Amino acid sequence: MTQHRFTPTQYWNVIGTVPPVLELASGDSVVTTTLDAAGFDGEGVQRAPRGNPMTGPFAVAGAAPGDALLVTIRRMTPNRRTGWTYAPLAPGVLDPAALAGMPRQERHEWAIDAQAGTVSLLDPSPRIRDWRFPLRPMLGCFGVAPDRGQAISTATSGPHGGNMDYRLFGPGATIAFPVFAEGGLFFLGDGHASQGDGEIAGTGVETSFEVEFSVELRKGLPLRWPRCETETDVLVIASGRPLDQPLQFATTEMLRWAGEALGVDAVEASHLLGQAVRYDVANVFNPAYCVACRLEKTAITQAMSLRGAG
């Protein structure tokens, strides 16, 4: 199990089958850096075009279609002291009748205080000058090369991952992706210092990061959508539009996961989901909406652990 340090010099605004920057073994970890959504690095220099430029891809030896690639986000450290958002909220999350009265969308700068663990506006109005929000790093866009040799824009998402913008995809989370291409080809970027559900302003607090992650290959574990385990939950995230479509995809994959892991049939698994499932609207800003279907980790669901699965 080797720890690699990788300094990127090229970035991608698509996720696809391109030559890897590094080949990893299952169990290896990587320390690298990401740009913000507009392509700016830790020194405030634009290194790539805007639109969630990705670091990578990283290949994992032996990964082949039909396998699963587990990625654990070990650490995310902001490598500059500022980030940015837009306001007011995105038009798609508001009553259309209210849009005419909304001010023009503008960019706002934020201070990132790693020592205090907070983010705050740099130039707030007097009424909100004392507002502080927790520093909760997360990756907005990351995933593996999609099937059929596609190159998919980092603006959107699908079974390969991509621009999911889910607030629980931060340090401590393990995300399992279906492998579609030889080596898996894992990309990452679009870090947020803070973000609520849905990315309803069209951004999180966008900034650049130093990221540490590790990889684990699971042979013969075919997935249809990414699965995830956090300290408290197991979940499936799916993408589509309108909003009922990703909810259906995520629920179907969760039903399948519960059945396989717990050794129960669809009726028995339905008793679990019917009483215990929670839904998070992960993203309603991008071309494909994202919904997370989530179960709390309990004595019943412990066999669904990604970290302990064989």
Side-chain angles (χ1 to χ4, degrees), residues 88-160:
L89 297 180
V93 303
L94 296 173
D95 181 345
L99 296 181
M102 286 291 119
R104 181 172 59 89
Q105 195 172 60
E106 294 183 340
R107 176 167 158 153
H108 297 263
E109 301 295 320
W110 292 69
I112 299 170
D113 188 334
Q115 185 171 1
T118 61
V119 297
S120 57
L121 283 161
L122 279 173
D123 187 24
S125 64
R127 290 188 295 272
I128 63 171
R129 64 186 177 191
D130 296 327
W131 286 10
R132 302 287 184 274
F133 302 96
L135 172 60
R136 290 179 178 157
M138 51 160 285
L139 287 175
C141 186
F142 64 122
V144 297
D147 64 349
R148 294 175 291 169
Q150 296 176 90
I152 295 180
S153 168
T154 53
T156 193
S157 56
H160 67 290

Side-chain angles (χ1 to χ4, degrees), residues 20 85 100 163 178 202:
T85 62
N163 197 26

Side-chain angles (χ1 to χ4, degrees), residues 70 176 218 221 227-230 233-236 253-264 269 272-273 293-310:
L70 276 60
R218 295 287 171 82
L221 181 59
R227 300 177 182 180
C228 174
E229 181 177 356
T230 71
D233 296 273
V234 293
L235 63 97
V236 173
E253 183 72 353
M254 181 65 87
L255 187 71
R256 177 172 171 251
W257 184 6
E260 293 170 349
L262 305 180
V264 297
L272 169 63
L273 270 63
C293 180
R294 183 164 53 85
L295 288 172
E296 184 180 356
K297 291 166 76 171
T298 65
I300 296 174
T301 61
Q302 63 182 349
M304 297 175 69
S305 173
L306 294 171
R307 292 158 176 158

